[in-house]
Amino acid sequence: MTNNKNTLTGYYKESDEDLWLWDDIPELDMEVGYKVEALLHYERSPFQEISIVDTQGFGRMLVLDGTPQVTTKDGFIYNEMITHIAMTTHREPKRVGMIGGGDCGPSREALKYESVEQIDVVEIDQQVIEVCRRWMTKDSGDEREACIRMIYRDGYKWIQEQKNNLDVLLIDRSDPYGPATSLYKQQFYQYVYDSLTEDGIVVFQSGSPFYNTSILKNTVRSLSKLFPIVHPYVCSIPTFPGGIWSFVVASKKWDPLQADLTRLPCKDTKYIDPETFLASFVLPKYIKNILK
Ligand code: SAM
């Protein structure tokens, strides 16, 4: 363990000798508890508090400012669902950008497409990458990982320098506070549009459609002002509070609902296949009502 438990902030609490991580959901006035088997790493970077824990049930977990981000048990669901909808829909993605690095899972998913020449992963906090490399992921040994370029910068600044040069962009942003606040600004959506090629596609992580409805609503509304094709979609992620999670894909030309699903690298996925790809766009009525 890097730091003593005494330095931990409020979301780690001891109860009967056990350590628990409590994720605060202010929108529902509730907390979700994860039993911690081992606290492996804890530090404060200049941007946020980073910890790595072994949990009971979900395997190893990256936690930022008390919020679970990804686990070794179900991280494949998030990583596949943020990546493959856009990568499959675009006919030949060569240049890919990602804002928000974390354990870099989406960049490994994107490498499954032969056409990819370069992936820029833009992460504001280099420590998150270092910590994930040490505790969460092993080098896969895939020599195509040389296509991945790490850029340690604020994605809000980086995106302004990209003009008409990204085929696919994935916005793996954290919740709208701290360093990610700017990634929710109205102007950010325009910069994103300008960064994409004329048949470019972007996907945004857009929060819980159950208790974070304003994030989903605002993302759909902002993207619909710019892009001709905008679709929200959902999947179930057991670790995340409420289980159901949302994303929004926006495209200048190709419609995901008409994608050539033979392009999906199904041999190398654990969640997505042609059926789950299409089913993710089928929204329960309560979500359709939010978006009316
Ligand atoms: N899904 C990821 C994973 O698999 O680990 C979790 C990524 S987490 C949702 C979001 C990441 O975005 C964090 O690593 C955070 O440091 C980074 N981030 C937040 N604000 C950013 C910004 N303005 N520019 C670039 N990266 C940012």
Side-chain angles (χ1 to χ4, degrees):
M1 185 163 73
T2 304
N3 276 23
N4 187 293
K5 272 193 211 167
N6 294 334
T7 62
L8 295 175
T9 38
Y11 39 79
Y12 284 105
K13 289 176 192 140
E14 271 179 297
S15 153
D16 296 335
E17 304 282 300
D18 292 325
L19 186 64
W20 288 75
L21 165 67
W22 289 100
D23 184 15
D24 185 23
I25 319 294
E27 295 88 343
L28 297 178
D29 200 14
M30 63 174 270
E31 289 176 290
V32 176
Y34 303 82
K35 192 168 172 191
V36 173
E37 287 180 341
L39 173 68
L40 302 168
H41 183 93
Y42 174 85
E43 71 176 75
R44 278 167 199 265
S45 77
F47 299 97
Q48 55 209 336
E49 292 181 22
I50 307 169
S51 44
I52 301 282
V53 292
D54 276 341
T55 63
Q56 197 171 67
F58 291 115
R60 194 159 288 182
M61 178 188 276
L62 166 68
V63 183
L64 298 178
D65 284 336
T67 304
Q69 302 291 322
V70 66
T71 71
T72 49
K73 262 267 173 75
D74 70 356
F76 69 93
I77 305 175
Y78 185 95
N79 290 335
E80 290 182 19
M81 289 307 287
I82 195 171
T83 308
H84 291 292
I85 299 286
M87 292 296 291
T88 292
T89 300
H90 195 288
R91 305 294 159 101
E92 202 186 18
K94 291 183 181 159
R95 277 222 54 192
V96 179
M98 301 186 183
I99 295 182
D103 78 341
C104 292
S107 56
R108 288 189 297 278
E109 292 303 318
L111 273 184
K112 294 175 181 169
Y113 295 78
E114 286 295 319
S115 58
V116 169
E117 292 170 0
Q118 187 170 319
I119 303 177
D120 283 347
V121 179
V122 185
E123 167 60 59
I124 201 166
D125 190 345
Q126 183 163 359
Q127 271 314 105
V128 176
I129 303 289
E130 307 286 338
V131 167
C132 285
R133 273 197 191 128
R134 177 160 177 223
W135 294 104
M136 298 288 291
T137 51
K138 292 188 200 92
D139 184 2
S140 73
D142 181 345
E143 42 185 60
R144 295 199 71 230
E145 284 189 8
C147 304
I148 302 175
R149 180 166 65 170
M150 298 304 307
I151 298 171
Y152 298 113
R153 280 190 70 190
D154 183 342
Y156 188 75
K157 294 197 175 127
W158 175 83
I159 196 75
Q160 294 176 50
E161 292 159 17
Q162 312 307 308
K163 295 283 173 226
N164 201 26
N165 68 343
L166 297 170
D167 297 314
V168 169
L169 178 60
L170 308 178
I171 313 289
D172 191 4
R173 57 191 179 183
S174 357
D175 292 343
Y177 53 79
T181 312
S182 56
L183 308 181
Y184 290 80
K185 284 185 184 167
Q186 187 58 43
Q187 186 61 41
F188 181 64
Y189 296 99
Q190 181 68 54
Y191 293 145
V192 162
Y193 183 89
D194 296 341
S195 74
L196 294 169
T197 52
E198 57 194 30
D199 60 351
I201 305 185
V202 60
V203 171
F204 284 78
Q205 172 303 97
S206 50
S208 162
F210 187 73
Y211 63 84
N212 256 340
T213 53
S214 61
I215 295 184
L216 174 61
K217 229 167 31 184
N218 292 339
T219 306
V220 170
R221 191 186 301 138
S222 303
L223 291 170
S224 300
K225 287 181 191 157
L226 299 164
F227 290 83
I229 299 161
V230 177
H231 297 296
Y233 63 95
V234 293
C235 67
S236 295
I237 301 182
T239 331
F240 288 1
I244 186 164
W245 216 251
S246 79
F247 301 85
V248 184
V249 58
S251 174
K252 289 188 178 177
K253 179 173 175 187
W254 310 111
D255 190 337
L257 299 183
Q258 261 120 52
D260 170 9
L261 298 180
T262 61
R263 289 180 33 72
L264 263 176
C266 289
K267 273 194 221 131
D268 293 326
T269 59
K270 289 201 280 180
Y271 184 88
I272 199 164
D273 62 10
E275 288 79 24
T276 45
F277 182 110
L278 291 173
S280 67
F281 294 100
V282 179
L283 303 178
K285 256 176 88 179
Y286 78 92
I287 301 180
K288 281 194 211 126
N289 286 338
I290 292 165
L291 297 170
K292 261 187 192 157

